[in-house]
Amino acid sequence: MTVDAMTAERTDAHLVGALADGDRAALAELYARHAPWLVLRLTRRCADPTVVDEVVQDTFVAVWKGAHRWKGDGEVAAWVWGIGIRRLLDALRRRPQAALDLTEAREGALGTTESAEERVLLGVEYGELGPALDQLSPELRAVVQATVLDGLTTREAGRLLGIPSGTVKTRMMRAKAQLREALA
Amino acid sequence: MNAEPTAWHADTATLRRYAGGGLPPAASASVEAHLLGCAHCRARVAEAVPVPRLAAIWAEVADAVDSPRRTPAERVLLRLGVRDHTARLLAATPSLTTSWLLSVAAALAFALAAAQSGPRGVLLFLALAPVLPVAGVALAYSRGGDPTYDVALAAPYPAFRLVLLRTAAVLVTTLALVGLASLALPAAPDVAAAWLLPALALTGTTLALSARVPAPAAAGAVVALWLGSVFTAFRETGSPYAAFGAVGQTACLAAVLISTALITGLHRRAAFDLGRES
């Protein structure tokens, strides 16, 4: 039998491998490791906590059932996120009234003095991408975030943001142009 | 991004602002990218999510994961309008598993192949066919074969109804297979259908006996008696279908009626206890 100490030492990859063999303790451990950040990251894309909770639940059930589909390379977290963001899309399609806070203006995005760690995070020392991104309008930034950072297709991004995919494309083009200008 | 632990970690204030939603978009994106590859920072940011919330979601996950998956047989039964607990009991019958049905099909295929060689082969098929449902019924109530045996002993479910339900299920599936196979039998229709009454007789007798002795023993005795009489009749008359003539069929019909009466009587006296006394 698996003792807790052993479970704690297993890597994410081992845990996903164990899921395929029906190891419930492995699922509990994966949940403990990955549910919290998933809750936070989803909350940044969907303001309704009920929807977020539901999506997190769906995601881990899908992880349990689809463990055999994990290819075994790369980060388990990235795989979990890939499932999570698509479950969010499904949930939003079921109830389109769920509010997105993606386009919501983020307070303090501009004008506040950046702390040293933010400068590191943003890589300001090496380029102007961070501030340039922050200077995009919320609509354009949302498109960049959904397609570039979340890795969604144009159609998926459109569904997430509640806009036609044609609009996603034009906004992406405008965002690129603006970023190019800012970085020039 | 790879699995190597990075020396760099987001500092606590940044993570706190990220969790609170107050971090600027580009910095948030940066944190999110880092979190995908850094277990250390994932663990630190986890503190921002209330434990009760995580526990509530986990309870739902565990619930969804623990409810056993429905087998194909169970789904078919549910679609036919069988209530779900009955469907589960039926689907848990060992003689309804794919492996059992496959072995029945294999036995029938061999018997059919033998039947192509002539009347003796047909006799083999006719002698074997009634044994299959008996074996299925015996398997359904044997301690070793039934994964729900202990559950069935303790369940507040009428044992008799369970016995009948499972017998019916075994009979329907097995007889359907035998019936299909008998279509390919190189014999006249009356000969090709001659196994049906013996099958019912053997199954009924096994059931009636299993109120007194363990089902496998009852089945063994009934099958031995059956095969003995078939081959004795064959040897004495020289005709392969001797046991399947009017006398044989009448005897089988009588056995069906008597065993049905016995089973009903035993039910009234609540003797069908699946061994709850022993």
Side-chain angles (χ1 to χ4, degrees), chain A residues 12 24 27-28 31 33-37 39-41 43-45 49 52-53 56-57 60-61 64-65 75 77-78 81 106-109 112 115 117-118 120-122 130-131 133-134 141 145 149-150, chain B residues 1-4 8 10-11 13-14 17-37 42 45-46 48-49 53-58 60-62 64-66 69:
Chain A
D12 285 355
R24 268 285 310 277
L27 183 67
Y31 179 85
R33 291 183 193 178
H34 294 284
W37 68 262
V39 168
L40 294 174
R41 191 163 177 180
T43 302
R44 294 190 67 88
R45 285 152 184 84
V52 170
D53 288 4
V56 173
Q57 180 199 327
F60 281 92
V61 174
W64 171 257
K65 288 183 178 163
E75 285 287 341
W81 172 247
R106 297 229 158 82
E107 74 288 356
T112 50
S115 60
E117 67 275 8
E118 269 179 54
V120 175
L121 271 174
L122 295 171
L133 265 176
D134 285 347
R141 210 163 49 218
Q145 178 171 21
L149 303 174
D150 289 345
Chain B
M1 187 77 47
N2 55 39
E4 290 294 308
W8 187 89
D11 73 83
T14 307
R17 278 184 71 195
Y18 168 75
L23 203 60
S28 292
S30 191
V31 167
E32 286 174 349
H34 176 66
L35 284 180
L36 283 188
R42 283 200 294 266
V45 84
V49 185
R53 183 178 182 186
L54 289 171
I57 304 172
W58 171 251
E60 298 284 330
V61 173
V65 162
D66 283 341
R69 259 178 242 183

Side-chain angles (χ1 to χ4, degrees), chain B residues 98-120:
Chain B
T98 318
S99 56
W100 161 253
L101 292 175
L102 280 179
S103 33
V104 168
L108 286 170
F110 280 119
L112 266 184
Q116 307 305 320
S117 69
R120 282 176 181 230

Side-chain angles (χ1 to χ4, degrees), chain A residues 1-165:
Chain A
M1 279 271 88
T2 332
V3 286
D4 284 340
M6 274 178 65
T7 309
E9 283 162 16
R10 288 194 283 178
T11 65
D12 285 355
H14 281 129
L15 290 173
V16 176
L19 289 187
D21 306 328
D23 186 341
R24 268 285 310 277
L27 183 67
E29 181 61 26
L30 275 174
Y31 179 85
R33 291 183 193 178
H34 294 284
W37 68 262
L38 186 61
V39 168
L40 294 174
R41 191 163 177 180
L42 288 171
T43 302
R44 294 190 67 88
R45 285 152 184 84
C46 172
D48 186 342
T50 323
V51 176
V52 170
D53 288 4
E54 207 180 282
V55 169
V56 173
Q57 180 199 327
D58 285 357
T59 304
F60 281 92
V61 174
V63 163
W64 171 257
K65 288 183 178 163
H68 58 278
R69 276 195 287 273
W70 189 57
K71 290 179 189 70
D73 54 349
E75 285 287 341
V76 169
W79 177 64
V80 170
W81 172 247
I83 298 173
I85 184 72
R86 277 166 184 86
R87 294 279 150 170
L88 176 65
L89 290 176
D90 291 345
L92 294 175
R93 194 170 34 184
R94 281 199 302 272
R95 48 163 111 181
Q97 72 272 23
L100 288 171
D101 74 347
L102 254 184
T103 50
E104 170 190 302
R106 297 229 158 82
E107 74 288 356
L110 291 169
T112 50
T113 45
E114 284 163 357
S115 60
E117 67 275 8
E118 269 179 54
R119 294 177 67 83
V120 175
L121 271 174
L122 295 171
V124 199
E125 280 85 351
Y126 309 105
E128 265 83 49
L129 185 59
L133 265 176
D134 285 347
Q135 274 165 31
L136 292 176
S137 72
E139 290 79 13
L140 296 191
R141 210 163 49 218
V143 168
V144 173
Q145 178 171 21
T147 54
V148 180
L149 303 174
D150 289 345
L152 298 181
T153 65
T154 308
R155 247 183 59 210
E156 288 170 332
R159 215 190 296 150
L160 177 68
L161 303 173
I163 52 176
S165 45

Side-chain angles (χ1 to χ4, degrees), chain B residues 99-189:
Chain B
S99 56
W100 161 253
L101 292 175
L102 280 179
S103 33
V104 168
L108 286 170
F110 280 119
L112 266 184
Q116 307 305 320
S117 69
R120 282 176 181 230
V122 175
L123 174 64
L124 184 72
F125 182 93
L126 291 179
L128 174 75
V131 173
L132 294 174
V134 172
V137 169
L139 185 62
Y141 304 111
S142 63
R143 255 162 227 260
D146 186 356
T148 61
Y149 182 83
D150 296 322
V151 182
L153 284 189
Y157 194 85
F160 182 68
R161 238 178 91 195
L162 180 61
V163 166
L164 280 197
L165 263 173
R166 286 185 160 183
T167 304
V170 169
L171 268 181
V172 166
T173 49
T174 314
L175 293 188
L177 280 174
V178 177
L180 271 177
S182 68
L183 291 179
L185 211 56

Side-chain angles (χ1 to χ4, degrees), chain B residues 230-262:
Chain B
V230 168
F231 289 105
T232 307
F234 172 42
R235 200 187 290 165
E236 301 213 333
T237 62
S239 154
Y241 308 134
F244 298 90
V247 178
Q249 297 290 358
T250 313
C252 285
L253 183 62
V256 170
L257 294 176
I258 293 170
S259 58
T260 309
L262 272 176

